[in-house]
Amino acid sequence: MDIFNASYADSLFSATLTQSSGLESLANAALQRGIDRFMKKDYESAVKEFKRAVGIGRGSSFAADAAQYLAMSYIQLEDTENAVKAYKSAFTIDPYRDDIRVKLGNLYFSQEKYEEAREEYAEAVRLNPSTANRYALGQAYIELGRFADAENQYVEIQRLAPREAGGYLGMGLAYSRQGKQEGAIGQFKEAISRDGSLYDAYTQMGYSYADLGEMESAQDLVTTLERLDQAELADTLSRYMYKVDPPKMMFANSSSSFPFALGKGTPLVALNSYLMNPGASRTVSIQIQFDKQMDRESIENIANWQIGRAVGQGPGQAYNFGLPVSPDEAKLPPMPTTVAWDEKNLTATVYFTVTQNAAANATIDPSHIEFKFSGKDVYGLKMNPKYDQFTGFSAVY
């Protein structure tokens, strides 16, 4: 009887092994078919095969990989809800796969679910405190505004792998988000010194220079990226520079009807022959060039403009060159009558009225009439205070 029982048990065990081996073979075949469908971008068919592989071979060594591929297929189908479920099923199969934790964290991160991403990255670090896992966790901390925690991760990366660039790139990003641009630039330079092909570090350093208003240094990095055949990054940095650079007046166009180049003592009638008549009024205009796209509502709001006599402190910058002004000197209104914005040519045409006096002998110093704008550009940035005024004598200042 004992011999019979032992023989029966051996037969049962052998049959179980055979069945298990057969199931694993079927599961592996489904996995391979799924990968083939995935590579051919037939994601719906891939989902069916990966589901079959997970279901049949749940206890196999590759079941977690099948669940991971299933999640990736759902992502391609833009079904993130089922992608999350697939990743989580992979954890139940193999709870020690830190790489799958990171991929789920990346999915959450792409959805701006930064707390959920942080939880997955933190678990990945617990399972495997690699520099890559720590870097990902630091990025989640940055997005959550937990900068001290982010810095702790990057300090640890720098300690564990001082020759790797990642710890310095991450620290630079943490500093940059806090407005510590000088410190960020130092960290980005350290990253580049360790990996000259880390093009993101060049770009991020350019952002920091632009935020500091050091546009020449930022432009140098645009040139560097172009030289390194990184045209897309160079273009991205250029666009960022354009966005954060405060707007400037550039010059006035010669087509303006207001002769801004004429000097002191100019008879008012020189602006328009009709002004030879006592008390006559005429509307003239000056066309001012800006360096970027301005907010139309802001620039056409006459309350954002001031017209007056220049009081500059430099040699020759004051109205009438600083000499006493005659009672016969023409007076201009403090604001325009209207302003028109040409978004194609980035020009503002400022219309204002000049009026002759009763004696018809008024004079004016056109080159020292100052036009000042205090509005904003399309990004909400106020004017660069060094370039928000124009006079014909000094051009923009």
Side-chain angles (χ1 to χ4, degrees):
M1 188 68 176
D2 291 339
I3 294 175
F4 175 79
N5 286 340
S7 177
Y8 178 77
D10 288 342
S11 298
L12 182 61
F13 179 68
S14 177
T16 301
L17 286 177
T18 300
Q19 182 182 19
S20 176
S21 176
L23 290 174
E24 184 164 343
S25 178
L26 289 172
N28 187 47
L31 174 61
Q32 295 305 316
R33 288 195 300 271
I35 292 173
D36 182 61
R37 303 292 191 279
F38 186 90
M39 297 302 294
K40 293 179 179 178
K41 299 184 180 180
D42 183 2
Y43 302 117
E44 291 184 356
S45 296
V47 164
K48 294 177 182 178
E49 296 297 342
F50 292 137
K51 278 185 174 181
R52 186 174 292 112
V54 172
I56 297 173
R58 195 165 190 83
S60 67
S61 59
F62 52 78
D65 287 325
Q68 179 181 195
Y69 272 113
L70 177 60
M72 292 165 61
S73 299
Y74 278 130
I75 290 172
Q76 293 298 326
L77 293 169
E78 298 183 357
D79 186 353
T80 54
E81 182 178 353
N82 276 318
V84 169
K85 290 178 180 178
Y87 277 130
K88 289 184 175 180
S89 72
F91 303 151
T92 64
I93 297 169
D94 188 347
Y96 301 104
R97 290 286 297 272
D98 63 291
D99 60 319
I100 299 179
R101 289 281 182 183
V102 169
K103 288 180 180 178
L104 177 55
N106 292 344
L107 177 56
Y108 282 137
F109 198 97
S110 70
Q111 296 176 302
E112 299 183 1
K113 296 179 178 180
Y114 300 119
E115 179 55 32
E116 290 88 339
R118 182 204 64 78
E119 291 175 0
E120 298 303 329
Y121 294 147
E123 181 61 16
V125 170
R126 187 188 69 80
L127 294 169
N128 177 15
S130 67
T131 56
N133 290 350
R134 287 186 179 279
Y135 184 89
L137 179 57
Q139 292 299 290
Y141 279 135
I142 289 175
E143 295 300 330
L144 291 169
R146 294 172 57 175
F147 299 113
D149 290 324
E151 290 175 22
N152 287 339
Q153 294 301 318
Y154 298 126
V155 165
E156 188 63 11
I157 293 173
Q158 292 177 12
R159 185 187 69 81
L160 293 170
R163 295 185 179 181
E164 290 184 6
Y168 301 94
L169 175 62
M171 188 68 81
L173 293 171
Y175 284 160
S176 177
R177 288 289 287 273
Q178 297 174 77
K180 301 176 181 178
Q181 303 303 344
E182 291 88 351
I185 290 168
Q187 292 294 315
F188 295 139
K189 287 181 177 179
E190 291 287 345
I192 292 169
S193 71
R194 287 159 174 78
D195 184 356
S197 65
L198 191 61
Y199 305 123
D200 191 43
Y202 292 96
T203 309
Q204 294 295 335
M205 183 158 59
Y207 293 157
S208 291
Y209 276 127
D211 287 340
L212 289 171
E214 298 181 19
M215 293 301 169
E216 289 187 10
S217 296
Q219 184 58 47
D220 287 343
L221 287 164
V222 170
T223 303
T224 298
L225 287 167
E226 291 173 340
R227 177 174 55 79
L228 294 170
D229 294 326
Q230 298 299 309
E232 186 174 346
L233 288 176
D235 181 65
T236 300
L237 176 55
S238 293
R239 290 175 182 273
Y240 184 79
M241 291 166 58
Y242 180 84
K243 179 179 179 179
V244 303
D245 193 19
K248 307 178 185 70
M249 286 183 180
M250 302 295 289
F251 52 83
N253 293 331
S254 58
S255 57
S256 303
S257 64
F258 178 67
F260 55 84
L262 297 179
K264 70 182 184 70
T266 298
L268 197 64
V269 69
L271 275 61
N272 187 288
S273 59
Y274 183 76
L275 294 174
M276 67 183 298
N277 300 310
S281 295
R282 267 292 179 264
T283 296
V284 294
S285 66
I286 184 169
Q287 193 176 74
I288 299 176
Q289 184 77 45
F290 286 76
D291 73 329
K292 64 189 300 190
Q293 198 63 248
M294 304 299 292
D295 178 78
R296 178 180 294 277
E297 182 177 350
S298 178
I299 210 163
E300 293 186 347
N301 182 353
I302 63 172
N304 288 331
W305 290 86
Q306 294 177 354
I307 302 174
R309 295 171 179 172
V311 292
Q313 300 301 312
Q317 289 187 0
Y319 188 85
N320 209 38
F321 288 91
L323 299 174
V325 176
S326 165
D328 297 327
E329 198 75 7
K331 296 181 179 179
L332 298 180
M335 290 190 299
T337 55
T338 186
V339 180
W341 174 243
D342 181 348
E343 63 181 21
K344 180 179 179 180
N345 295 305
L346 306 183
T347 56
T349 303
V350 182
Y351 298 89
F352 57 101
T353 302
V354 292
T355 302
Q356 181 62 275
N357 61 19
N361 65 350
T363 57
I364 192 172
D365 179 3
S367 67
H368 287 94
I369 296 298
E370 179 183 280
F371 300 86
K372 181 179 175 65
F373 177 65
S374 57
K376 59 185 181 180
D377 66 14
V378 290
Y379 303 105
L381 293 179
K382 295 181 178 180
M383 292 292 294
N384 184 321
K386 293 182 179 180
Y387 302 95
D388 65 349
Q389 305 170 46
F390 174 85
T391 66
F393 179 81
S394 300
V396 174
Y397 73 92

